[in-house]
Amino acid sequence: MVDLISTEFKESLFDSKSKNVYEKWMRRYTDFKMQKSLEGDEINVYLEFIKEISINYKCSTVWQAASCVNKFLKIYKNQDHIRNPIFKSYMKNIAKQYVPKKSAVLTIDDVNNYIRQSGKTNQDLCEKVILIIGIYGALRLSEIAYLDFKDIRKDGPNFMILIRQSKTDQAGIGSEFAISPLSSYDICPVTLLISYLNLFPIKQGRLFRKMNKLDQPTQQVLGINKIATLPKKVADFLGLTGDYSGH
């Protein structure tokens, strides 16, 4: 009974929301020890495990793994390796050697080729307008996702796009950029934007919406995660190589 209560108490020390993450890394750690048949001081096994995962994971993920495994060892074996000077030195070396992967970026030509070659549905139209606004304004995902109909205004032959606030706009004064017409009708950004706006009899709320099964716009907005998949979709369609993840 004492052991049962002790185990339950130890398990209660883990946050229920993140317990699955802790257990995932502890399983990885245990499997690693068995596969490598590692014995001896736990700190050496721990460092070998960190070294192993640092090959394929970025620094923040390595830190997450190190922290999760360390918490298990601290609770169940009374060992705290993160405070060990050897571990601290080890992590500094990993951080120095880590070279972050840079995502590839779609060019204007890539976007124009996609606009010419891809489908003609309303869903395709929505994605084309997202690409146009994103690349002309060099916008972040959040800036695209939170665009509103009231942020779009006609100014002669151009459209002006208002970004009300961005990560670099600490004063919150906002900024505008223009989308101008092109002579090539099939890739003209102004023509495409007008066609998209005409899908909405009532132009209120978020600009980018999901389409229903009948390819008609709904009240459901397109979220950041969905918009983030678009660069890779374009890259796959055009046969481009590289990491075209959204930002």
Side-chain angles (χ1 to χ4, degrees):
M1 179 64 71
V2 173
D3 289 340
L4 178 60
I5 294 173
S6 177
T7 300
E8 289 177 347
F9 174 73
K10 288 175 180 179
E11 290 185 352
S12 71
L13 297 176
F14 294 95
D15 180 3
S16 60
K17 292 183 179 179
S18 55
K19 188 177 180 181
N20 290 339
V21 178
Y22 283 103
E23 290 178 342
K24 177 191 77 172
W25 284 116
M26 197 58 201
R27 283 195 300 271
R28 290 280 300 272
Y29 180 71
T30 303
D31 292 343
F32 173 79
K33 285 179 68 175
M34 293 178 63
Q35 290 170 6
K36 302 291 184 179
S37 300
L38 296 174
E39 297 179 356
D41 291 342
E42 195 78 44
I43 179 64
N44 294 327
V45 178
Y46 182 72
L47 292 176
E48 282 297 317
F49 175 69
I50 300 304
K51 179 181 177 182
E52 176 86 3
I53 63 173
S54 68
I55 296 172
N56 297 314
Y57 292 95
K58 59 184 179 181
C59 286
S60 59
T61 305
V62 175
W63 266 110
Q64 182 194 70
S67 177
C68 289
V69 173
N70 188 74
K71 186 163 185 176
F72 262 99
L73 296 177
K74 186 176 179 180
I75 292 174
Y76 288 99
K77 293 190 176 184
N78 197 28
Q79 298 179 13
D80 188 358
H81 299 314
I82 281 184
R83 294 181 180 274
N84 191 311
I86 298 175
F87 169 77
K88 292 180 179 180
S89 176
Y90 202 77
M91 286 303 296
K92 283 182 180 179
N93 288 333
I94 290 176
K96 288 179 182 178
Q97 296 169 12
Y98 175 70
V99 178
K101 295 179 181 179
K102 290 187 176 180
S103 296
V105 179
L106 295 172
T107 65
I108 289 283
D109 287 340
D110 293 332
V111 171
N112 287 341
N113 286 335
Y114 180 76
I115 290 172
R116 283 194 175 100
Q117 299 174 34
S118 59
K120 306 298 181 184
T121 67
N122 289 337
Q123 179 63 48
D124 294 322
L125 177 60
C126 177
E127 292 176 352
K128 291 173 184 180
V129 173
I130 288 173
L131 289 168
I132 288 168
I133 289 179
I135 202 163
Y136 273 74
L139 303 183
R140 294 180 173 85
L141 287 173
S142 59
E143 293 167 347
I144 297 172
Y146 289 106
L147 278 172
D148 197 287
F149 278 100
K150 63 186 177 185
D151 299 327
I152 313 294
R153 67 179 179 87
K154 198 78 166 61
D155 184 24
N158 307 316
F159 273 102
M160 301 302 297
I161 314 295
L162 172 64
I163 306 303
R164 295 186 178 276
Q165 190 171 3
S166 68
K167 187 176 180 181
T168 55
D169 179 23
Q170 298 300 320
I173 58 177
S175 61
E176 278 190 324
F177 66 92
I179 289 181
S180 302
L182 295 176
S183 56
S184 299
Y185 182 83
D186 58 339
I187 60 170
C188 176
V190 169
T191 301
L192 290 167
L193 183 51
I194 290 173
S195 297
Y196 180 73
L197 293 175
N198 286 342
L199 296 177
F200 300 87
I202 300 175
K203 297 172 177 56
Q204 291 180 345
R206 293 274 193 91
L207 181 62
F208 295 117
R209 311 287 183 85
K210 294 180 179 180
M211 302 294 163
N212 62 23
K213 293 181 179 180
L214 298 177
D215 198 33
Q216 296 302 309
T218 69
Q219 294 299 311
Q220 288 184 290
V221 300
L222 276 179
I224 291 176
N225 291 337
K226 184 65 176 178
I227 294 172
T229 65
L230 190 51
K232 186 178 186 306
K233 179 179 179 179
V234 174
D236 290 345
F237 181 88
L238 296 176
L240 304 176
T241 58
D243 177 18
Y244 284 87
S245 56
H247 297 283

